[in-house]
Every structure is written in C-alpha cells, then in structure tokens.
Amino acid sequence: MSFEPLSSRIDACTLCGACKAVCPTYIDNPVEPQSARGRLALVAALETGAIAKSSGLKNALRTCLHCGRCEAVCPAKIDVQEEIFRGKTLIPESTLIARPLLRALTMPFAAETLFRAARLGHAVLYRPLKLDERIKRVPAPARVPFIGAETLFKPVNSVRGPAAERGFPVKSRGISERGFPVQPRGRIAVFAGCAVHRFYPSIGEAMLDILLALGYEVVLRQGEICCGAPARETGHDDIARDMARRNAETFSMARVDAILTACPTCAVTLKVQYPKMIAVPNGFPELVQDINQFLADKMDIDMKSEGLISYHDPCHLAVGLSVKSEPRKLLAQAGAELVEAKSEAGCCGFGGIAGFSHPDASRRIGARRRDELAATGARLIATACPGCRMQLEDAFRHDPGVRVFHTVEMLRDAVVQAINLL
C-alpha cells in the first residue's frame, strides 16, 4: 500500500512521521493505519475512490482519540483532526442506532428518558454482570442532573467591612444561602457538557460554588444540548452542526462576560471547532474558556498541603487549548504538594467514543498512564477533565486507595476553608 497522500488538502504531508512518535494509538499498536499519517492516506484514498469502504478502514478511523498531538508536531501544520472527521462522514457509524441516539441528545425529554434508561440498565445489567471488568468502568448516570432548569444565581455576602474586599467572603447556595446581595463582578454562563451534567454533577456544583464565592453572577442555560463532539466522532456532522448552531444561539443570547466549562472537550469543540463548522456569532469563540484558565489570575488563597497530588494533563486542555500551568498553579494555591509523573503529558486513552468502541486499546493506553501516575507515590490524582477522570477511575479500579478528582472539586474545598477562616 502506498502512503502518498492523494487528497489536495493533505498533499502538504512530507511523510516525515513526526506524528507517529506522539500518537497514543500508534505507540500502542505500531502499524501505519494507527498513525495520523496512515489515517490521512486512508481518508484521501477513500475520497478519491482508490479504496472501498470496509470494516478495517472504519476501525482505523474510529480508533483515533482526537488528542491533537499529531497536529502539534506536524511541520506542515495539517489540520489532521478535521481531515479525519471528514473521513468519518464518508463511512459513518450505523444510522439505525447512532443517529437516533444523537438526535435524542438534542431533545430534553428524549435525553432525560435515554439517561434514565441508562441508569436502570446500569443497576440491572452493568453491575450484576460485572461489565466494568469486561468492557469499561462507567459511573451510573446521576439521579439528579446538574442543570434542572434555566437558572440565574446571584452572589450574596455574609461578611461586612474590610474582609469583604479579600475576594472570598461571598456565600453561594452550596455553602450558605444567608447573606445580603453584592454587586456582581461579572456575569458568567456555565456550559456543563454531558459528562458533568449527567455523570459528574458534583463538578458542576463545585464550579458554581467557586464562581459565586468569587462574586460572579452565574447563568445555567436550560437550552444547552450536547456540544456535538460525539456526533463528529461518529461521522454525523450534520447533527453536530445542528447542535453547534443551537448552542451558539442559546449562549450568545445570555449576554455574559464569559462562557465557562469544566470539560476541555466541550471547550475545544465550542471554541475551536464551531467556527470550522458553522457561522458563529461575532465574539462567541473568545467568550469560551476552560474554568482553570479563567480562575488562574482570580484566586487569592494559600492553603496548607494535605499530601502528595499528581496532576494529569487532559489532551484537549494541554494540547488543544495550551492550558498547562494554570491548573497546577490553582492546585498549588489550594494546598497541593504536586509531584509530576515521568511523562508529564501522557494520554490516558479516554478518547470519547473511541474509548468505548475500542475498550481494549483504550485500557492499554490507560494502564500505561496509570503506571506513570502511580510511580509518583501520590494517592490523589487530579485532572481537569470529566472524561479523563472516568478513564483514570477505570484504570485505578483495583486500587481503592487512589482517589481521582477534578481540579475544581479541590478548589471548592479550599474556597470553603478560606471563607470559614474569615
């Protein structure tokens, strides 16, 4: 097979192979179709009709984790992920199964029904059959999701005088509902994302508490739907574009100073991919930020350490958004004694849909990351991504002494302590 690019969009590829050195799936299975270079050649050949659709071709594209590492080292600056997304549209996942499920994520009642069924299935089948060992550990969908209705939270203050100027006297509904209104520092919209909304609402609650404690007015938009990443990953770009248009319209109407999310995949999708998919409202991408990036220069606390913590860099945050130092800075302020893993930015192997369609490969990549983190001696693992948290909880499933948490959960605890010390 010739790996010479055939598509005019990727003929800039020099075949240098730099992408292979950083591709998690190629490192796990060193064959050409598991590299970015190989996948680009397959997409080009498929587009020109040089090869026919096949299960092998589909699997080569499906295993891409969309970590973005290949693009970061590509000397030709090829938009590898967009080319692979394009390839997936030519050979999409089953329209009989994938499309109805994806469409359900755009309709609140259908989505609620879907996740209730998933919760029931988790209790009746997943746990009893020990599918967490056979397939992958997935937490049960939360009984009460994060966003229940369109809500505007206003900060209140229970401290008067000079202490009110220190930045942490504001009491949120999660810490204390008593107090008097304060002039908000700004207005923030939270984009929860499916993982936070449905599986880890505690992350959303922590995020909300921190923002209110800092004096921000916070908006939760009931019109929020899935960001569209799963639709793109399964080759249904038309559904992804519909999701993008609806989310962009919903959040543009919120009149906020920033749109914050605790899910880097959602952040990359809204900020980087939406402008490639649709005509976004003016200024929309600039409003979107990861919560760690937003908080990096706004936290003014210095808590004492309670033990070693190792931080795992989510690919979409560290590679996709170049946010690396900010989470570490915040964890240090919250009292963490950080110890870095040997590979500071190793991939955990979650990869969204790819992690579930190819669980064996995902778990092998996750096991390598687990070993790197375990070698630090830390029993607390922090990450800034709900997907990475899910993957690392699976990787450490046989070590109950290790606890994995999102950065904002530790930050919230530090904020509560700071308030209590005032």
Side-chain angles (χ1 to χ4, degrees):
M1 174 180 177
S2 172
F3 292 106
E4 181 180 357
L6 302 175
S7 168
S8 61
R9 291 189 304 275
I10 59 174
D11 59 7
C13 178
T14 62
L15 306 180
C16 67
C19 56
K20 298 164 74 172
V22 297
C23 177
T25 57
Y26 183 82
I27 293 170
D28 175 66
N29 183 16
V31 295
E32 190 72 16
Q34 288 298 305
S35 70
R37 186 176 75 179
R39 291 185 178 107
L40 287 177
L42 290 172
V43 171
L46 179 62
E47 285 187 323
T48 59
I51 59 174
K53 298 177 182 179
S54 66
S55 60
L57 172 59
K58 178 180 281 190
N59 281 332
L61 299 182
R62 288 172 71 185
T63 51
C64 176
L65 301 177
H66 291 285
C67 65
R69 295 168 186 273
C70 52
E71 292 179 12
V73 299
C74 178
K77 304 300 180 184
I78 296 173
D79 195 342
V80 179
Q81 292 190 75
E82 282 301 309
E83 291 299 332
I84 294 176
F85 282 138
R86 200 186 317 274
K88 288 181 174 182
T89 65
L90 301 176
I91 186 169
E93 296 299 318
S94 170
T95 56
L96 295 177
I97 299 175
R99 289 186 70 84
L101 291 176
L102 291 168
R103 282 295 183 194
L105 297 179
T106 68
M107 299 177 284
F109 178 77
E112 186 63 32
T113 302
L114 176 64
F115 280 100
R116 284 187 180 182
R119 181 176 177 81
L120 178 62
H122 194 281
V124 175
L125 297 175
Y126 192 82
R127 289 178 179 173
L129 296 179
K130 297 183 178 179
L131 295 181
D132 58 335
E133 289 297 330
R134 301 181 190 180
I135 304 176
K136 201 171 186 179
R137 183 191 179 280
V138 181
R143 188 180 302 276
V144 180
F146 175 54
I147 300 175
E150 183 87 9
T151 310
L152 171 64
F153 291 95
K154 290 181 175 289
V156 294
N157 195 326
S158 63
V159 178
R160 296 181 182 274
E165 301 175 2
R166 291 180 50 188
F168 292 99
V170 179
K171 306 289 185 173
S172 78
R173 46 115 208 104
I175 300 171
S176 171
E177 295 181 352
R178 298 179 180 179
F180 56 91
V182 297
Q183 182 66 33
R185 294 174 62 181
R187 184 182 173 97
I188 304 297
V190 168
F191 188 94
C194 297
V196 170
H197 178 49
R198 297 288 180 180
F199 293 97
Y200 295 112
S202 61
I203 295 175
E205 296 287 339
M207 194 175 168
L208 185 55
D209 283 344
I210 292 170
L211 291 171
L212 289 171
L214 286 170
Y216 288 95
E217 195 172 74
V218 183
V219 181
L220 301 184
R221 299 290 278 164
Q222 191 176 26
E224 176 190 322
I225 58 175
C226 174
C227 70
R232 300 210 81 193
E233 291 166 8
T234 53
H236 298 284
D237 250 21
D238 59 323
I239 297 179
R241 287 193 295 272
D242 179 48
M243 292 173 167
R245 281 189 288 267
R246 291 173 60 176
N247 279 323
E249 181 180 353
T250 295
F251 281 85
S252 294
M253 293 170 60
R255 300 175 185 174
V256 294
D257 302 309
I259 301 168
L260 304 183
T261 180
C263 176
T265 300
C266 292
V268 166
T269 303
L270 271 65
K271 189 178 186 70
V272 180
Q273 293 185 19
Y274 276 15
K276 300 176 183 179
M277 298 162 61
I278 63 170
V280 296
N282 289 336
F284 178 81
E286 291 74 20
L287 289 176
V288 179
Q289 289 188 60
D290 173 78
I291 182 66
N292 294 273
Q293 187 177 24
F294 179 81
L295 294 176
D297 61 352
K298 297 175 178 64
M299 301 288 281
D300 183 22
I301 54 176
D302 185 14
M303 307 303 294
K304 294 182 179 179
S305 172
E306 295 184 1
L308 295 177
I309 293 178
S310 190
Y311 174 71
H312 166 75
D313 278 294
C315 296
H316 284 159
L317 188 61
V319 181
L321 297 175
S322 299
V323 176
K324 300 178 183 179
S325 62
E326 293 89 339
R328 290 173 170 83
K329 174 185 176 183
L330 291 170
L331 287 170
Q333 286 182 302
E337 183 179 345
L338 287 170
V339 54
E340 297 287 358
K342 180 180 179 181
S343 175
E344 187 175 303
C347 178
C348 72
F350 179 69
I353 298 297
F356 293 101
S357 63
H358 293 76
D360 291 340
S362 177
R363 271 189 162 170
R364 288 194 302 270
I365 296 170
R368 284 194 290 274
R369 187 55 178 162
R370 175 201 64 208
D371 293 343
E372 291 172 347
L373 293 167
T376 66
R379 307 300 284 169
L380 297 176
I381 309 297
T383 187
C385 172
C388 292
R389 175 178 168 179
M390 190 181 295
Q391 177 78 349
L392 293 174
E393 286 176 339
D394 176 69
F396 282 102
R397 66 192 181 280
H398 296 307
D399 191 346
V402 173
R403 185 166 68 90
V404 185
F405 58 93
H406 195 287
T407 51
V408 296
E409 293 174 297
M410 182 175 182
L411 291 175
R412 180 196 181 279
D413 292 342
V415 169
V416 172
Q417 292 181 51
I419 290 173
N420 291 335
L421 291 175
L422 292 176

